[in-house]
Amino acid sequence: MEKVIYAVYGSNLLKERFLAYIKGGFYEGRKYNGCINKEEPIDLGCMYIPHRLYFAKNSSRWDNKGVAFITSQKEENTNLHTLVRFWKVTEEQFEEIQEQEGKDWYNRMVDLGEKDGLKILTITGDWLNKINLPSSRYIEIIKKGLKETTKWTDKKIENYLKKFIKS
């Protein structure tokens, strides 16, 4: 089975949340089917990518508020680059995760290059015309994921997110 690196930037930064897409079961009151192959992803660390994080659309799963996307166009301002966590998964798992995320929302694949001979991919959608603030519950999951991924202080996490959440 071919492996790829899935670069995540929203609630999937948090391992417990991401595993719902792999293993299935319930998370935050919602049932997930999971992937056919339940093999756990391998955490390959994190890095900044030259795309800007933003929140858009309205998800019933997250209190009818916005969810995370990244711009498909590169962001020149390095202060607005997005931190992603690398999950090593099979190509099939990657495709099944995109299905579970909703291919109608996350309909654009972004190739972020390679690491250790593996393709780095992420998914997003072009919804800059549908900007919507995220719910506090959704942001709490992202904060937990950032803490788990980076070991940053709460203050650094707040400062990072503040750049992307415009009230």
Side-chain angles (χ1 to χ4, degrees):
M1 272 181 281
E2 290 295 313
K3 301 278 188 171
V4 296
I5 297 171
Y6 178 22
V8 302
Y9 48 84
S11 59
N12 287 336
L13 289 165
L14 184 63
K15 183 176 183 178
E16 174 188 15
R17 196 289 191 248
F18 184 62
L19 285 179
Y21 282 124
I22 303 282
K23 295 186 173 287
F26 287 88
Y27 185 80
E28 289 275 313
R30 181 167 185 258
K31 185 175 188 332
Y32 293 85
N33 294 328
C35 296
I36 293 168
N37 176 351
K38 310 279 188 216
E39 176 187 345
E40 282 212 18
I42 297 169
D43 181 355
L44 295 179
C46 60
M47 71 176 263
Y48 284 94
I49 59 168
H51 297 268
R52 182 171 43 88
L53 179 69
Y54 69 96
F55 298 89
K57 299 193 65 80
N58 59 321
S59 170
S60 58
R61 183 182 327 168
W62 298 108
D63 308 325
N64 290 312
K65 297 288 201 164
V67 292
F69 295 93
I70 58 164
T71 55
S72 52
Q73 301 300 315
K74 287 194 172 177
E75 172 61 54
E76 297 299 321
N77 182 347
T78 57
N79 191 45
L80 294 176
H81 286 182
T82 301
L83 185 115
V84 295
R85 185 174 192 174
F86 290 150
W87 291 116
K88 184 177 173 182
V89 297
T90 68
E91 284 182 340
E92 293 80 9
Q93 285 174 322
F94 178 79
E95 289 166 13
E96 290 176 64
I97 291 163
Q98 185 179 15
E99 289 288 337
Q100 292 180 74
E101 285 275 20
K103 268 192 168 176
D104 50 339
W105 283 31
Y106 292 92
N107 53 15
R108 181 177 293 270
M109 193 175 309
V110 180
D111 184 334
L112 298 169
E114 284 191 2
K115 175 181 168 66
D116 302 330
L118 297 175
K119 277 195 268 186
I120 304 170
L121 302 171
T122 195
I123 52 175
T124 192
D126 291 318
W127 304 110
L128 285 167
N129 62 337
K130 303 236 187 253
I131 295 291
N132 191 9
L133 290 176
S135 70
S136 56
R137 194 166 59 89
Y138 185 68
I139 289 300
E140 286 308 311
I141 301 295
I142 293 174
K143 284 179 179 178
K144 284 182 188 174
L146 284 167
K147 176 75 89 178
E148 183 180 274
T149 302
T150 65
K151 311 298 185 246
W152 287 349
T153 64
D154 292 345
K155 181 73 173 155
K156 185 164 182 173
I157 290 170
E158 288 289 335
N159 289 336
Y160 169 77
L161 289 173
K162 198 174 0 179
K163 298 184 293 188
F164 305 109
I165 302 172
K166 309 287 185 225
S167 47

